[in-house]
Amino acid sequence: MKIQTTSWSQSNGREILQKSPQGESEQEPPAQLNLVEWWYRLTAPTQPSATAPLRQREAARRGRLASTTLIFMSLITAMALPIAFVAHS
């Protein structure tokens, strides 16, 4: 009988389950979440602590919103490009 221990660690505001070396594997968050987190790390300011002043938390929130708007508008523009090349006007 194998004894398996687990521990919780917190990284970037999300919890990840980690198993001991006796366990078979680590539980990873979905790939989509990793892609979104990668985008936020690349384009948004870092998340302040929960005890940070309101002005600092609001600036971080606005930065994440701007980052989300940027990727959304980029995707919409990229989807319109093939239509622009096909249409002969």
Side-chain angles (χ1 to χ4, degrees):
M1 180 173 173
K2 232 182 208 183
I3 297 177
Q4 187 174 12
T5 59
T6 59
S7 64
W8 289 94
S9 67
Q10 193 167 5
S11 171
N12 286 338
R14 66 174 194 263
E15 295 181 36
I16 301 171
L17 177 65
Q18 297 176 341
K19 295 184 179 180
S20 66
Q22 294 95 5
E24 295 175 11
S25 65
E26 291 184 5
Q27 181 179 354
E28 292 285 327
Q32 182 181 12
L33 181 62
N34 286 336
L35 185 61
V36 171
E37 289 298 323
W38 171 81
W39 178 254
Y40 282 149
R41 278 193 314 263
L42 185 65
T43 60
T46 58
Q47 285 293 101
S49 67
T51 60
L54 179 61
R55 180 173 283 181
Q56 189 177 8
R57 289 181 305 190
E58 184 64 18
R61 185 192 67 82
R62 287 182 181 201
R64 285 179 78 95
L65 181 61
S67 175
T68 303
T69 303
L70 178 67
I71 190 68
F72 178 72
M73 294 304 291
S74 298
L75 291 173
I76 295 296
T77 303
M79 287 190 304
L81 284 176
I83 296 170
F85 288 123
V86 172
H88 298 284
S89 317

